[in-house]
């Protein structure tokens, strides 16, 4: 396909809102303030394909550092699918991340296509859906994350991701319509979690903790900030049986799953302490 009306460029900030809207139409249920947080991670990491002046395709290629990037928001408007426009945008995104290990969370039926582009399956992520409300546990140690020095949080978070994501984390923990909590044990941070309002209900993520008991305390404390009528979602790595058990213990059911894949070495992450993924779109 060679259409000289088709061009690809970096998105402006307001165009990221369009990607969010398309994601909502695809049923991905983005958070109300995801655009601001994602844009903070890499303002040059959003690409748009235009046919004339009409936006017809989006892709995010967040460059966290010189070695790792994450790909998401690969969406082509339905009436333009199958015509090569998305593939051109995909190639432009891969070029932007040239020399980087690239991660993505792809829908399961696209795994084979991603394999053809050099991606390897690491594990499945499972989205669980339940209901909100409940009481926060009376466990000593639950603290407002904002009460801790950011450096303490950044040091705790660093092993859980293949690259430094401090720019994203600063925005993520302080977003409107969200809540961020930590849990202390022996005078040190032993876990943290964030819950944010989405188009439909709330999502918990990330949820990181040094033990299943601490993860459960954080989860319940975060969920207590919602109403019993609110849907609550938790995206867990299927390879962490304790995370699966946490979701199932609290009556959550599977609603979706993705394939976490990498185009390069599969990072050695402490998945046994990762109970909830921050975002399928940027990791």
């Amino acid at each position: 396909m060679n259409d000289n009306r088709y061009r690809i460029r970096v998105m402006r900030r307001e165009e990221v809102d369009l990607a969010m809207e398309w994601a909502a139409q695809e049923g991905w249920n983005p958070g109300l303030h995801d655009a601001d947080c994602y844009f903070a991670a890499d303002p040059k990491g959003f690409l748009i394909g235009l046919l004339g002046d009409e936006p017809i395709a989006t892709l995010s290629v967040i460059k966290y550092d010189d070695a790792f990037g994450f790909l998401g928001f690969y969406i082509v408007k339905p009436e333009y699918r199958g015509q090569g426009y998305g593939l051109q945008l995909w190639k432009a995104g891969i070029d932007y991340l040239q020399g980087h290990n690239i991660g993505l969370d792809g829908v399961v039926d696209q795994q084979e296509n991603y394999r053809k582009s050099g991606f390897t399956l690491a594990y499945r992520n499972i989205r669980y859906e339940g209901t909100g409300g409940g009481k926060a546990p009376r466990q000593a140690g639950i603290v407002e994350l904002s009460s801790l020095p950011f450096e303490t949080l950044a040091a705790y978070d660093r092993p859980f991701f293949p690259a430094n994501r401090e720019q994203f984390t600063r925005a993520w923990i302080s977003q409107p319509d969200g809540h961020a909590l930590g849990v202390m044990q022996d005078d040190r941070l032993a876990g943290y979690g964030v819950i944010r309002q989405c188009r439909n209900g709330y999502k918990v993520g990330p949820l990181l903790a040094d033990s299943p008991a601490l993860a459960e305390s954080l989860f319940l404390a975060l969920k207590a900030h919602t109403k019993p009528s609110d849907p609550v979602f938790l995206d867990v790595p299927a390879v962490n049986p304790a995370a699966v058990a946490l979701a199932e213990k609290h009556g959550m059911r599977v609603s979706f799953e993705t394939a976490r894949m990498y185009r390069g070495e599969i990072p050695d992450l402490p998945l046994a302490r990762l109970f909830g993924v921050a975002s399928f779109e940027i990791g």
Side-chain angles (χ1 to χ4, degrees):
M1 189 273 304
N2 184 16
D3 191 328
N4 56 20
R5 296 174 300 153
Y6 186 60
R7 58 197 172 93
I8 294 166
R9 62 164 171 78
V10 175
M11 284 189 200
R12 296 185 287 268
R13 165 61 190 86
E14 63 271 17
E15 290 170 326
V16 180
D17 294 329
L18 176 66
M20 298 295 158
E21 189 58 43
W22 287 3
Q25 292 171 14
E26 293 292 321
W28 298 354
N29 193 25
L32 299 186
H33 305 281
D34 285 2
D36 285 333
C37 299
Y38 295 168
F39 195 72
D42 180 4
K44 297 179 181 177
F46 292 85
L47 303 180
I48 190 164
L50 301 132
L51 196 59
D53 292 326
E54 182 186 359
I56 66 166
T58 62
L59 183 71
S60 65
V61 277
I62 304 300
K63 190 180 287 187
Y64 282 99
D65 60 14
D66 292 337
F68 183 75
F70 203 89
L71 186 151
F73 286 104
Y74 185 35
I75 307 172
V76 178
K77 283 181 76 171
E79 61 265 38
Y80 293 103
R81 291 175 184 173
Q83 299 172 49
Y85 296 117
L87 184 58
Q88 286 190 60
L89 187 61
W90 171 273
K91 288 177 177 176
I94 295 294
D95 285 347
Y96 176 70
L97 293 176
Q98 189 67 37
H100 290 64
N101 188 4
I102 307 171
L104 62 78
D105 271 307
V107 293
V108 174
D109 63 5
Q110 288 294 320
Q111 274 188 63
E112 191 54 40
N113 285 334
Y114 295 136
R115 279 198 188 93
K116 291 174 183 175
S117 291
F119 285 84
T120 302
L121 177 67
Y123 51 86
R124 294 180 304 129
N125 280 320
I126 303 173
R127 173 162 295 166
Y128 280 91
E129 178 180 352
T131 54
K135 293 183 178 179
R138 293 182 177 179
Q139 176 178 326
I142 299 286
V143 298
E144 296 289 329
L145 208 52
S146 58
S147 69
L148 302 176
F150 180 75
E151 293 71 23
T152 300
L153 168 63
Y156 184 83
D157 183 75
R158 183 63 189 86
F160 290 93
F161 200 69
N164 184 323
R165 59 175 176 179
E166 290 185 17
Q167 291 293 105
F168 164 72
T169 301
R170 279 185 188 276
W172 199 245
I173 64 173
S174 58
Q175 63 181 293
D177 303 304
H179 210 89
L181 297 174
V183 61
M184 306 296 290
Q185 190 174 57
D186 301 327
D187 295 322
R188 63 176 182 81
L189 185 62
Y192 86 95
V194 177
I195 191 167
R196 75 192 196 280
Q197 189 172 0
C198 297
R199 300 287 184 98
N200 174 33
Y202 292 78
K203 286 181 186 173
V204 175
L207 181 61
L208 315 174
D210 290 353
S211 72
L214 292 174
E216 183 175 36
S217 294
L218 277 170
F219 176 71
L220 293 175
L222 291 165
K223 197 163 75 80
H225 287 278
T226 66
K227 301 189 296 292
S229 58
D230 290 324
V232 170
F233 303 89
L234 179 67
D235 299 335
V236 310
V239 290
N240 181 353
V244 172
L246 170 65
E248 293 181 348
K249 176 181 178 180
H250 293 283
M252 305 182 86
R253 58 180 178 80
V254 175
S255 64
F256 184 64
E257 71 172 78
T258 70
R260 172 60 62 91
M261 306 181 80
Y262 294 96
R263 194 175 191 250
E265 184 178 348
I266 295 176
D268 184 16
L269 305 177
L271 296 172
R273 297 190 290 132
L274 200 165
F275 293 82
V277 178
S279 158
F280 285 162
E281 283 73 45
I282 72 165

